[in-house]
């Protein structure tokens, strides 16, 4: 908790610095264009669950005294809706809501199967910096997210037991990408964001590879 408080304090200091030092340029920019914008993106949620899957699979094999087959997803779908505010030509503030599809881990023995399922959702806040006219951008911020998990046991193809749990909390996020403005004024972009410690669960990192439209 202490390191999150320090990070939030540092971000507040950065925002204060930006407001003080770019107020003149932002005023000029706002006189020409609407500083408020929205964006919609979609793509892949990427999570490395290999360590968890292999560790749990070995534990099951030891407990059952037989070989356990382990299979797991490496990615699922994901989407994000964003609202932004241009402080200047280079600095934006963004607030978004994101959600992902399910990442499954399946442990199998003859006649039985156990499946773990995880998904993520939540809100994020970021400072986005555009590198002049290159189209490149980077961002850093925080997220408040939920990590939802479920466990299903099936025997002979029929579910015999299930359970669910969730964890909520905050973490950090970083990202980078490329933005392109077409001659007709349409803006498209693609990039990669990393959400660390989803649901305040250490090591539950969520990568978001996306393509989107700004409107």
């Amino acid at each position: 908790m202490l390191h999150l408080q320090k990070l939030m304090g540092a971000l507040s200091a950065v925002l204060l610095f930006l407001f003080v030092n770019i107020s003149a340029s932002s005023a000029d920019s706002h006189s020409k264009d609407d500083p408020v914008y929205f964006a919609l993106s979609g793509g892949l949620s990427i999570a490395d669950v290999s360590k968890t899957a292999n560790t749990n699979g070995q534990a099951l094999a030891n407990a059952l005294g037989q070989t356990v087959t382990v299979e797991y997803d490496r990615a699922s779908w994901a989407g994000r809706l964003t609202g932004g505010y241009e402080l200047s030509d280079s600095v934006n503030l963004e607030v978004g809501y994101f959600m992902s599809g399910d990442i499954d881990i399946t442990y199998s023995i003859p006649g039985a199967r156990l499946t773990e399922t995880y998904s993520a959702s939540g809100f994020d806040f970021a400072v986005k910096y555009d590198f002049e006219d290159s189209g490149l951008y980077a961002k850093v911020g925080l997220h408040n997210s939920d990590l939802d998990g479920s466990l299903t046991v099936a025997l002979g193809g029929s579910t015999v037991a299930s359970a669910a749990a969730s964890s909520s909390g905050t973490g950090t996020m970083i990202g980078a990408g490329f933005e392109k403005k077409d001659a007709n004024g349409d803006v498209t972009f693609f990039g990669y964001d990393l959400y660390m410690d989803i649901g305040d669960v250490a090591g539950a990192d969520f990568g978001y590879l996306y393509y989107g439209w700004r409107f």
Side-chain angles (χ1 to χ4, degrees):
M1 182 64 69
L2 183 59
H3 72 282
L4 288 176
Q5 292 175 343
K6 290 181 178 178
L7 180 59
M8 294 183 71
L11 284 175
S12 298
V14 169
L15 292 178
L16 179 60
F17 174 83
L18 292 173
F19 273 117
V20 170
N21 288 276
I22 64 176
S23 57
S25 60
S26 66
D28 292 340
S29 175
H30 297 168
S31 65
K32 301 175 183 178
D33 302 296
D34 185 354
V36 177
Y37 63 89
F38 297 93
L40 181 65
S41 63
L44 294 175
S45 61
I46 303 169
D48 183 4
V49 297
S50 58
K51 183 177 180 179
T52 297
N54 292 327
T55 298
N56 291 346
Q58 187 60 55
L60 281 173
N62 294 340
L64 297 173
Q66 60 180 301
T67 301
V68 175
T69 301
V70 180
E71 300 176 301
Y72 52 86
D73 296 332
R74 291 178 170 83
S76 183
W77 63 267
R80 184 172 183 262
L81 177 64
T82 305
Y85 186 87
E86 296 179 343
L87 291 177
S88 72
D89 290 338
S90 299
V91 181
N92 308 317
L93 300 181
E94 291 191 343
V95 177
Y97 176 78
F98 65 91
M99 63 186 303
S100 79
D102 294 337
I103 297 288
D104 294 333
I105 307 173
T106 302
Y107 311 93
S108 302
I109 60 174
R113 183 178 69 253
L114 186 152
T115 303
E116 293 180 89
T117 300
Y118 298 98
S119 63
S121 62
F123 293 90
D124 58 62
F125 169 80
V127 178
K128 175 174 171 281
Y129 182 81
D130 298 315
F131 293 93
E132 298 181 350
D133 297 325
S134 67
L136 298 173
Y137 63 82
K139 55 184 176 179
V140 61
L142 299 171
H143 63 82
N144 189 309
S145 58
D146 298 322
L147 179 64
D148 297 318
S150 64
L151 183 66
T152 303
V153 179
L155 297 176
S158 299
T159 299
V160 296
S162 62
S166 64
S167 178
S168 301
T170 58
T172 58
M173 67 164 292
I174 56 175
F178 179 82
E179 190 172 79
K180 178 183 178 183
K181 186 172 184 178
D182 296 330
N184 61 3
D186 291 341
V187 178
T188 57
F189 56 90
F190 61 88
Y192 180 82
D193 295 341
L194 178 62
Y195 294 79
M196 291 170 276
D197 300 338
I198 290 288
D200 200 25
V201 176
D205 299 337
F206 161 85
Y208 179 39
L209 182 66
Y210 58 86
Y211 180 84
W213 302 262
R214 175 170 161 173
F215 51 92

